[in-house]
Amino acid sequence: GAARSSAGGRARTRLPRSASESLLEVNLLGADRRLLRIISAECPKTMNSPDSNGNRKKALKMDSPFKQLVAGGFGGACLQLVGHPFDTIKVKQQLHHCSVPVALRNTVQAGGIAGFWRGVTVPLFMSVPTFGVVFCSHDL
């Protein structure tokens, strides 16, 4: 039957579980444990591991601030280079009140494929140092 318990003044009803639901939960828990073992075996640097004194320590090695600055700057550059063509089409749609296919056709006719990245220089010079500093200072 259903079990009743009062927690915080309210009565809750717990429904009985079927054997298949319990079996499914046990199988999922077993799969989670197997997956955790696989991940910890494949990626030992990312897991917390005990040191020689038995204390838990963070096994992730912090890279130098310069490497983090360069990595963040590279990420910012990738963001701008991938996203700028979409922004170009959006701005052309707003200026000329046209559809996406018309904006695409006009961009290619006016400047070729490179026309999608026309004007990317200023956002690129702004995002590289910005993302570099943000990425570098994230762990502080």
Side-chain angles (χ1 to χ4, degrees):
R4 288 197 158 267
S5 66
S6 76
R10 286 186 358 194
R12 275 191 313 184
T13 303
R14 192 177 65 194
L15 299 174
R17 297 171 56 162
S18 68
S20 61
E21 288 176 344
S22 298
L23 184 60
L24 178 63
E25 185 176 308
V26 168
N27 285 338
L28 289 176
L29 289 175
D32 288 345
R33 284 191 208 107
R34 285 190 297 275
L35 183 61
L36 184 59
R37 271 189 253 127
I38 290 169
I39 290 171
S40 62
E42 293 293 322
C43 308
K45 290 182 179 178
T46 62
M47 306 303 282
N48 287 335
S49 58
D51 62 5
S52 59
N53 297 332
N55 297 325
R56 292 261 172 208
K57 64 178 180 175
K58 201 170 192 174
L60 285 174
K61 181 181 170 190
M62 292 299 298
D63 286 327
S64 71
F66 178 73
K67 285 183 182 179
Q68 290 181 347
L69 188 70
V70 169
F74 182 74
C78 291
L79 175 74
Q80 284 301 323
L81 293 174
V82 169
H84 194 75
F86 296 103
D87 194 45
T88 300
I89 296 303
K90 177 194 71 152
V91 168
K92 288 191 181 216
Q93 278 187 290
Q94 290 171 341
L95 286 175
H96 304 295
H97 304 289
C98 61
S99 65
V100 173
V102 172
L104 288 169
R105 185 177 63 241
N106 291 343
T107 302
V108 171
Q109 286 175 351
I113 298 296
F116 290 107
W117 287 275
R118 185 174 180 181
V120 75
T121 313
V122 172
L124 194 62
F125 281 128
M126 287 175 38
S127 68
V128 169
T130 302
F131 278 84
V133 169
V134 168
F135 195 79
C136 185
S137 65
H138 181 65
D139 288 332
L140 295 179

